[in-house]
Amino acid sequence: MSKHILLCLAVVFLLAGCKRETAPTTASATTETIGTVSVNNFDFDYFSSKGQLSLNSKKENLSSGVSIRMKKDSVIWVSVQPGLGIEAARMMLTQDSVYLMNRLQKEYVATDYSFLRNRFQVDVNFEILQAILLGNYEQQGTEKAMDEGELQHVQQMRENLLFDYFIGRLNSKLQQLNVQDQNTGNTITVLYSSFEDIGQEPFAHALAAQVLQKGEVSDFKINYSRVAVSDEALSFPFSVPSDYKRPPVN
């Protein structure tokens, strides 16, 4: 895949968290919360945005325009546009399927989440990606809520992953998320800032993630220039031209 497809995938994988190794679970099937969590998650039917994303790592330094559309709990659609109105890559995620289209190399992939897990060694699903892209808090596993001045700290175990949520008291929005793999030591930190009201709800127009994996650091940023929500249905076009090739999925 070209660097533009990898940039598109960075939206997914730098935000998805750390690899999960097989290990005895420390989380219960039903959420058990010690304390009270006060959070205002971003709600919507249809979501659309435009912005600029960048990726800086040992191997890649990339920047591109990006458009993101979502249907709540159903579809995440991403279009990567390096400039001059040219689309380099398109991605669509549903609850059980992954679709990628590389316009530069005229290739496409239609598969499921096992492709992503095997290729990037990240255990990821639709719900996690949607929550992190929106800056929403997910109630799962065994968790403990603690007061830390202007922030509420919620610590949560999901299998071998330790989640630390830091929620602002003034707007009840997620300000920072830390995830650590207890087996490998891999970590991810996501910062949410530049909150602006969309309708009646604050939404973070800037997201910055840093991933430490195997001693290497990768930085990912997205800055939204436009965000809108609607009750009216959006389109999620993904029509593959007949001359595009479908390479083998490893």
Side-chain angles (χ1 to χ4, degrees):
M1 289 186 179
S2 73
K3 67 180 182 180
H4 298 293
I5 282 284
L6 294 178
L7 179 59
C8 184
L9 290 175
V11 176
V12 176
F13 301 111
L14 287 186
L15 301 180
C18 308
K19 180 181 178 183
R20 295 188 187 181
E21 305 288 349
T22 301
T25 180
T26 58
S28 60
T30 303
T31 300
E32 298 178 3
T33 304
I34 301 174
T36 301
V37 179
S38 178
V39 64
N40 178 20
N41 277 340
F42 189 76
D43 196 18
F44 65 101
D45 290 321
Y46 290 91
F47 170 96
S48 63
S49 67
K50 290 185 179 295
Q52 191 75 17
L53 61 86
S54 63
L55 167 66
N56 294 287
S57 67
K58 184 177 180 180
K59 298 179 181 179
E60 301 283 355
N61 290 284
L62 306 172
S63 180
S64 179
V66 64
S67 297
I68 301 175
R69 301 177 189 175
M70 300 186 199
K71 179 181 179 182
K72 183 180 177 181
D73 300 331
S74 181
V75 182
I76 298 173
W77 181 95
V78 181
S79 174
V80 177
Q81 305 134 3
L84 301 177
I86 299 172
E87 183 183 60
R90 187 174 293 189
M91 173 172 63
M92 185 171 69
L93 306 174
T94 66
Q95 284 282 350
D96 57 9
S97 300
V98 174
Y99 304 93
L100 304 169
M101 183 161 49
N102 182 342
R103 292 199 179 278
L104 301 181
Q105 295 183 352
K106 295 187 174 182
E107 294 180 346
Y108 77 99
V109 172
T111 184
D112 58 24
Y113 282 87
S114 63
F115 167 76
L116 305 183
R117 297 182 186 113
N118 293 337
R119 191 176 184 89
F120 292 90
Q121 295 297 292
V122 174
D123 190 1
V124 62
N125 60 36
F126 183 92
E127 287 75 16
I128 290 176
L129 296 176
Q130 177 179 256
I132 294 180
L133 284 171
L134 295 171
N136 282 350
Y137 157 80
E138 283 197 301
Q139 197 175 47
Q140 289 189 25
T142 300
E143 57 184 24
K144 180 180 180 181
M146 299 163 279
D147 291 333
E148 295 192 7
E150 296 181 355
L151 296 173
Q152 183 176 43
H153 179 192
V154 181
Q155 195 167 76
Q156 184 184 100
M157 285 299 303
R158 303 186 204 174
E159 298 182 8
N160 58 289
L161 296 182
L162 175 63
F163 285 71
D164 285 283
Y165 292 93
F166 294 91
I167 301 166
R169 291 208 171 277
L170 291 179
N171 61 6
S172 297
K173 299 295 294 186
L174 182 62
Q175 310 284 322
Q176 179 173 333
L177 170 64
N178 302 340
V179 185
Q180 183 179 57
D181 187 314
Q182 300 293 282
N183 292 341
T184 66
N186 295 339
T187 62
I188 179 173
T189 300
V190 187
L191 301 176
Y192 301 92
S193 60
S194 300
F195 287 91
E196 298 178 21
D197 285 347
I198 304 300
Q200 301 298 314
E201 294 191 58
F203 181 80
H205 281 59
L207 180 156
Q210 184 175 83
V211 179
L212 176 62
Q213 190 173 37
K214 297 180 180 179
E216 295 186 7
V217 177
S218 299
D219 292 292
F220 169 84
K221 295 181 180 179
I222 183 166
N223 290 281
Y224 293 107
S225 57
R226 184 183 67 81
V227 176
V229 295
S230 174
D231 295 332
E232 297 183 6
L234 296 176
S235 63
F236 303 94
F238 204 91
S239 178
V240 180
S242 60
D243 60 338
Y244 277 36
K245 297 180 180 179
R246 186 175 181 180
V249 176
N250 297 325

